[in-house]
Structure formats: structure tokens, C-alpha cells
Amino acid sequence: MTRRTYLAFVLLLSVGLLVFGLGTASSPVRGASASYAPVTGSVSGPTVLSAGGSAHYTINGTGGPAYAPNGTRVGNVTYYITLAASNLTGVSVTPAQDGLVGVNDTTLLTVGPYVETVTMTVMISSVYDGQNVSTNLTYNVAVVQPYVVRATLVNVANTTVLAFPVVITLDGQRVGSVLVASLTPGDQYNLSFSYATTGLSPGYHTFSISLAAQHGLVVFANGAESYSQTFYVTGPAPNYTLWYVLGVVAFVGVLFILMARVGARRRGAVRR
């Protein structure tokens, strides 16, 4: 093979490799301009907590460069939580930062003894291949002084009663439950339940507890199997502003009428 023939052969081989894609092997890489779904997220959990209480919250996050166009997770999604309140004494969240397992994770919010609003600001960050895209969420939790129901339970049986739940109802609707620990014969259990709410309608309301499921085993301290506690919620203070305005308008109207009559009398006197 002559030198000229050899060079021609190499040139044709190179062109063939380029045409048929047989060049250096490499996997496709998403550049900074690659398309991906926007970063989205959510926070779910109680919006009202008793002062000094705590609750778990679910953090959700997805999208961004951490997810390939086909929805496959290829990077990391992490949440970062900061807290704001008029008084942060006793307020904390654990963990305040964590990588999402799948698309969800949970964190524990503990509030202090003060009636206030605690705001959680949650940043969801999606990271992959040098790209970092994030979004911010806010979630407000009202901290209130709760209604508290207390009762004493007694094991009157000659056998140990295993742990059991006690359902609490308010005006006939279930609002929570308390898990009572195992009771040996003669043991007592001081039940306490806190109900957090931003307000009840004016009027009478009743909390009720029933031990019918433990018939013959556990009773309240007075020997009964049911217990209720009724209380009264006063309405908001009356707003007299409208009555004040109407009173002023009526007063001005009376003055106008009196002045009109006096003026008419005077004009009549002049004519005479």
C-alpha cells in the first residue's frame, strides 16, 4: 500500500466514524440549559398547637435538577427550616435540615409557653451536577392556651387491664384520644387531655368520655363509666360603634328639625 493510498484510507475511516456515530464513547450529560420540572413542595401538619406542645410535620419536595426528565431521581433534595415568632423561647424543630427520603420526610415542631404565631419557613433545594434550584414555603402555626379535660380512672377489677385508648368527644364529635397505661388491680390513672383551637362558637359545649369498652374493669373515680364536662363560651364584646353613629345622626336630625321650626316661627313673626 502506497503512502497516498494509506492516507486516503485513514481519511475515509475517520469520515465513516463521524457519520455513523462511532467516535469516542460517552454518555449524554444534561447541561445547565437542560429542561426539568420546577421545584415544588408542601408542608402538612396541625395549624394549631397547645402552648408547650409539639407535633410532627411532613415535608414534601420534588422537581428541579435532582430529577431527570423521565422522573428518575438522580440528585439530592434537601429541606432547610427556619423559625420566626415574637418569642422563640422553647420553640424548636428537629431536624431543621435533612435530605428527603423519596419525596417525604417528617420533622418535630415544639412550641413554647407563649400564645403567638410560629412561622416555619422551609426551603426545598434540588441539587445535581453543579445545579442548585430551590423554592421557599411558609407555614403558620397558632399557639393557643388549650381547653383541658381531666379525670381519674380506677381499675376495680381483680385483674390487670392492659393499655387501652380512651376517646374524647366535644359536642358529640371525636376530637382526640388518650392511651391509658396498663392498670393493675386498684391502680389509678390521672387522665389529662388538651384541646387546642382558635375558638369555639358562643354557647354551651360539652366534653365527654366513655369507659363502656372497659365495662366492669375500669371506672371513673365516682364509680361511673361515663364522664362529661360542660362549659360556656361567651360571645365577643358587642360593637356599639354603629349605635353611636346612629345616635349622632339622630341627634343631628333632631337639631335640624328644631332649628327649622324655630326659623319658620321667626319668619312668620316678621310677616305680621
Side-chain angles (χ1 to χ4, degrees):
M1 178 182 295
T2 65
R3 178 180 178 81
R4 180 176 298 177
T5 304
Y6 175 77
L7 292 175
F9 175 79
V10 171
L11 179 60
L12 290 172
L13 179 61
S14 299
V15 171
L17 290 175
L18 291 174
V19 171
F20 292 101
L22 299 178
T24 304
S26 62
S27 59
V29 178
R30 290 195 305 167
S33 61
S35 61
Y36 45 75
V39 179
T40 60
S42 63
V43 181
S44 59
T47 57
V48 184
L49 284 181
S50 300
S54 62
H56 285 93
Y57 291 79
T58 299
I59 310 297
N60 174 283
T62 188
Y67 284 84
N70 63 1
T72 302
R73 174 84 167 261
V74 293
N76 297 320
V77 179
T78 306
Y79 70 81
Y80 305 84
I81 302 177
T82 57
L83 301 174
S86 57
N87 192 326
L88 286 172
T89 303
V91 181
S92 64
V93 61
T94 307
Q97 169 186 339
D98 201 5
L100 294 180
V101 178
V103 295
N104 294 315
D105 200 3
T106 58
T107 188
L108 179 67
L109 173 66
T110 301
V111 297
Y114 304 99
V115 174
E116 59 184 356
T117 297
V118 175
T119 299
M120 290 193 293
T121 299
V122 183
M123 182 178 75
I124 307 294
S125 177
S126 177
V127 180
Y128 177 69
D129 194 28
Q131 300 177 77
N132 188 340
V133 180
S134 63
T135 188
N136 290 317
L137 312 170
T138 57
Y139 197 81
N140 293 323
V141 179
V143 183
V144 301
Q145 290 298 338
Y147 293 92
V148 180
V149 181
R150 294 186 176 90
T152 301
L153 283 59
V154 182
N155 180 0
V156 294
N158 294 321
T159 184
T160 297
V161 178
L162 299 179
F164 60 93
V166 173
V167 175
I168 315 296
T169 64
L170 174 61
D171 300 334
Q173 300 296 318
R174 174 174 175 155
V175 291
S177 64
V178 175
L179 182 62
V180 178
S182 297
L183 298 174
T184 58
D187 269 359
Q188 295 186 354
Y189 182 88
N190 294 320
L191 180 148
S192 180
F193 173 75
S194 297
Y195 178 63
T197 177
T198 53
L200 294 174
S201 60
Y204 287 98
H205 298 274
T206 302
F207 283 108
S208 299
I209 311 173
S210 175
L211 297 175
Q214 288 72 42
H215 176 70
L217 301 175
V218 181
V219 297
F220 292 101
N222 61 358
E225 289 187 347
S226 62
Y227 169 81
S228 63
Q229 180 178 339
T230 299
F231 57 98
Y232 185 80
V233 175
T234 58
N239 185 355
Y240 294 111
T241 303
L242 179 61
W243 297 107
Y244 293 153
V245 172
L246 291 177
V248 170
V249 172
F251 179 70
V252 171
V254 170
L255 287 180
F256 178 79
I257 293 172
L258 289 176
M259 292 175 64
R261 288 184 175 179
V262 170
R265 289 176 181 176
R266 289 180 176 175
R267 286 193 298 272
V270 171
R271 290 194 185 105
R272 288 177 188 158

